[in-house]
Amino acid sequence: MSEKIERSDDEWRKLLSPEEYQILRQKGTERAFTGHYYKTKDNGTYVCAACGHELFSADTKYDSGSGWPSFFAPLAGESVATETDRSHGMVRTEAMCARCGSHLGHVFEDGPAPTGLRYCMNSVSLKLKPKDG
Ligand code: FE
């Protein structure tokens, strides 16, 4: 896969907006039904808002009703990294950009076929690259 990107906290703070920094680098969560992308049905590829790494095809996006953009599969095996997250008194699976380690959201096992997975993402962590652009 492409080389990993490692930056200091100060570098990220300069590169990202305060909102992006809070979610991508401090593992924040945007409020449900407030993000740019939870309703979006446009074609294209969703990339990491921090580093541009390709994460999800719009073909795998579905309306989960959660208020966050939801996908049933990552673009490729090396797009999204996962790790057990025991914060906030819960055991969840955290999803991160496999290239820069930025926080994207969480993965739950209540998604649709064929994977049964729900990649529950923050809109702030994503940028949609349109198919024809
Ligand atoms: Fe990234």
Side-chain angles (χ1 to χ4, degrees), residues 48 50-53 97 99-102:
C48 172
C51 79
H53 185 50
C97 172
R99 183 158 77 179
C100 75
S102 289

Side-chain angles (χ1 to χ4, degrees), residues 3-127:
E3 272 183 39
K4 299 223 187 246
I5 292 176
E6 289 188 26
R7 294 189 194 285
S8 71
D9 194 52
D10 276 353
E11 286 176 311
W12 283 122
R13 208 185 287 267
K14 281 175 196 144
L15 279 167
L16 302 172
S17 73
E19 185 186 36
E20 288 171 339
Y21 177 80
Q22 205 266 325
I23 290 177
L24 287 156
R25 303 308 307 178
Q26 306 279 11
K27 305 187 190 299
T29 302
E30 71 197 15
R31 287 175 52 211
F33 302 103
T34 64
H36 304 304
Y37 291 132
Y38 77 93
K39 285 191 285 195
T40 306
K41 293 191 164 80
D42 297 347
N43 285 326
T45 302
Y46 287 87
V47 304
C48 172
C51 79
H53 185 50
E54 295 191 337
L55 300 172
F56 298 99
S57 163
D59 295 342
T60 64
K61 191 173 187 292
Y62 73 102
D63 183 4
S64 66
S66 67
W68 290 283
S70 302
F71 303 84
F72 60 77
L75 189 70
E78 293 174 332
S79 299
V80 176
T82 55
E83 191 168 277
T84 301
D85 170 12
R86 297 177 188 277
S87 66
H88 303 289
M90 296 175 272
V91 180
R92 294 179 292 174
T93 301
E94 182 190 355
M96 294 156 296
C97 172
R99 183 158 77 179
C100 75
S102 289
H103 177 75
L104 305 173
H106 289 90
V107 189
F108 300 96
E109 295 184 351
D110 58 8
T115 61
L117 298 175
R118 169 168 60 102
Y119 286 75
C120 183
M121 302 290 102
N122 289 287
S123 296
V124 168
S125 300
L126 305 172
K127 290 236 189 315

